[in-house]
Every structure is written in structure tokens, then in C-alpha cells.
């Protein structure tokens, strides 16, 4: 197990560049800003949006948008063009995306793969693509982690965790990931200031070195569309000290 100090970063969305700058400041830099490709008509428009954030020194996480698996190829294309800090991807397309990034000369981009809990600790669903998602068949956490490790994918995105409702399943997947050398874990779904500490602590207890909890629409002001910086600060304050 690594002796390096673990790190924790939030993954949140922003309405525009100025909102993103405010979020980065509120989080003291411990944040990635999600840009969802589904919100744009094509890869050109999505890449232009990513680049506008990057010019403002905002660390970008390219994502699908509403978890829509049909956006996987657009994600890969935008990632290859912009070489962002982070990429969200469905499990079946994670290796393809990593290959595109390597071909584009990006050695720094962190790529995750979406794995879904099955309802049974120790068993997960990796068929998270637009076609494969039809089959909700399960594999062991160990098999899922091993498949990612052998193709070089860096991180597990585990969704939905429903706040603290699936801690046993979260723990089992985090443990398997660490055993296979995957040191980054991204719990997602229903996380708020009341649950984030326990969710993150569960990952850290299993040896995860970098935890990236995702909190999206729950901290967006419905009237303005802006992500609320006071709630970002509240989430940061709720994190365990590492």
C-alpha cells in the first residue's frame, strides 16, 4: 500500500467559466469542473467549451451528461482533442478512450470507468454501455477491477451509491480496486454534506489514495443555474482530514 498522503477532490459542474473560477476558489483548488458533452450539439462545440474553461486554468472533467451512455464516443473524441485533467466513461469504452488519449499524446489525463452496484456486496455490473446496459448481469468486484487494471484504466466510478445506502457495496468495490492496483475511486450519486464524510472515509479505509466524490445538480441553484459556492465550501468542510 502506498505511504503517500491520500487526496480528496470534488467533481462538480459549473454554469460558465466565472462560476467555475468561483468554485475552484471556494474549494481551495480541490475540485474538478465537469463539462457534459450531451449539452452540446457536436464534438466541436463541446471541445470549444472545454477549451474555454482550460484557458481560465480550470481543471476540467469531461463527462457524458445525465449518465447517458450513448455519449461515450463524443466523450472520447472531446477528450482526445482537449487532453483534460479527467474523463468520465462507461466501462466498455474506457480502454478505447485511454488509447485515444495516449495516441493524442496525453499522459496526464485520468480516465475512469463506470461500474454499477448490483444490490449484492461483492457483485457489480460492468455492462454500462448503451447496448450492453440491456444486460444487468453481475461479475465479482475482483474481476471488474482486474479487467480495468490489465488495460491501464486508472479509476473506478461507482454509481449510484445513494449517499450512505450502499456503503457495504462501496467498500467491497474499493477493496478490490486497491488490491488490483487501482488507487483512484469515484463514488457518485446522492452524496451531500451529511453523507460525504462517511462515503469518503469508507474509500480511505480500504486504501484508496485519491477519492473523487461527484456532486452535481443537488448543489445547483435552480433559479440561476449556478453551482452554489457556499455549498461547495460546506462539502469541503465536511471532508475527513487526511
Amino acid at each position: 500500500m502506498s505511504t503517500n498522503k491520500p487526496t480528496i477532490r470534488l467533481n462538480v459542474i459549473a454554469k460558465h467559466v466565472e462560476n467555475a473560477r468561483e468554485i475552484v476558489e471556494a474549494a481551495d483548488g480541490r475540485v474538478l469542473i465537469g463539462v457534459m458533452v450531451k449539452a452540446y450539439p457536436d464534438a466541436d462545440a463541446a471541445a470549444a467549451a472545454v477549451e474555454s474553461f482550460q484557458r481560465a486554468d480550470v481543471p476540467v472533467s469531461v463527462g457524458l451528461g445525465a449518465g447517458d451512455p450513448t455519449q461515450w464516443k463524443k466523450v472520447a473524441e472531446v477528450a482526445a482533442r482537449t487532453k483534460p485533467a479527467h474523463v468520465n466513461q462507461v466501462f466498455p469504452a474506457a480502454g478505447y478512450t485511454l488509447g485515444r488519449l495516449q495516441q493524442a499524446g496525453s499522459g496526464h489525463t485520468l480516465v475512469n470507468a463506470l461500474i454499477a452496484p448490483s444490490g449484492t456486496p461483492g457483485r457489480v455490473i460492468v455492462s454500462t454501455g448503451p447496448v450492453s446496459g440491456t444486460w444487468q448481469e453481475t461479475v465479482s468486484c475482483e474481476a471488474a477491477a482486474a479487467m480495468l487494471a490489465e488495460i491501464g484504466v486508472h479509476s473506478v466510478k461507482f454509481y449510484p451509491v445513494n449517499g450512505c445506502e450502499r456503503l457495504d457495496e462501496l467498500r467491497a468495490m474499493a477493496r478490490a480496486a486497491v488490491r488490483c492496483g487501482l488507487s483512484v475511486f469515484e463514488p457518485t450519486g446522492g452524496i451531500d454534506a451529511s453523507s460525504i464524510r462517511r462515503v469518503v472515509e469508507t474509500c480511505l479505509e480500504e486504501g484508496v489514495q485519491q477519492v473523487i466524490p461527484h456532486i452535481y445538480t443537488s448543489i445547483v441553484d435552480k433559479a440561476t443555474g449556478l453551482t452554489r459556492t457556499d455549498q461547495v465550501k460546506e462539502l469541503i468542510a465536511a471532508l475527513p482530514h487526511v
Side-chain angles (χ1 to χ4, degrees), residues 120-195:
T120 301
R123 306 289 299 181
V124 292
I125 297 166
V126 298
S127 51
T128 53
V131 178
S132 62
T134 303
W135 289 273
Q136 296 292 291
E137 299 170 15
T138 68
V139 300
S140 68
C141 291
E142 291 77 11
M147 284 188 275
L148 294 181
E150 67 189 0
I151 59 174
V153 171
H154 313 103
S155 175
V156 171
K157 181 176 180 179
F158 201 56
Y159 169 81
V161 298
N162 300 343
C164 290
E165 291 179 16
R166 296 180 181 269
L167 289 181
D168 288 348
E169 292 183 84
L170 174 69
R171 184 180 298 281
M173 189 64 240
R175 180 184 301 131
V178 170
R179 285 178 176 172
C180 286
L182 304 174
S183 61
V184 187
F185 206 88
E186 306 183 40
T188 310
I191 301 171
D192 57 22
S194 67
S195 60

Side-chain angles (χ1 to χ4, degrees), residues 15-16 19 22 219-228:
K15 183 176 182 179
H16 45 52
N19 189 207
E22 293 169 350
I219 59 172
V220 173
D221 187 304
K222 291 178 175 57
T224 65
L226 297 169
T227 291
R228 295 172 57 98

